[in-house]
Amino acid sequence: KESIRLVKLLGDQSVNMGNNKEAFRNDIQERMIGISRFSEVMRQIYLMAEQAEKTLLDIDYAENEANV
């Protein structure tokens, strides 16, 4: 929701007019970059969890095969 709000702010006239427009834009862009980086960290955690689950299943399978 926050990223959508920030994108909408970029189109807001109050952000695009006045003396501080560059500072406002930079602030909004930095926030959007922060959201993007956080999203990437969460994606990496999800991928690592999937890989860990696969590894555990492989170990379990190998242990079961060794005990047969």
Side-chain angles (χ1 to χ4, degrees):
K1 292 180 181 182
E2 179 64 5
S3 53
I4 292 170
R5 185 184 78 81
L6 292 172
V7 169
K8 288 180 180 180
L9 272 177
L10 285 175
D12 191 315
Q13 282 185 345
S14 63
V15 172
N16 292 303
M17 296 175 63
N19 296 332
N20 293 328
K21 70 179 180 182
E22 199 62 37
F24 284 133
R25 287 180 185 173
N26 287 338
D27 181 54
I28 291 170
Q29 289 172 343
E30 288 299 317
R31 290 178 189 209
M32 292 170 72
I33 289 168
I35 291 169
S36 176
R37 287 181 179 160
F38 177 74
S39 177
E40 180 60 21
V41 167
M42 299 313 296
R43 189 179 78 81
Q44 289 298 323
I45 290 171
Y46 179 79
L47 291 174
M48 289 187 306
E50 281 187 329
Q51 183 59 44
E53 183 179 20
K54 181 183 179 308
T55 300
L56 290 172
L57 289 172
D58 290 345
I59 291 170
D60 187 48
Y61 177 77
E63 286 177 343
N64 288 336
E65 287 294 311
N67 291 333
V68 171

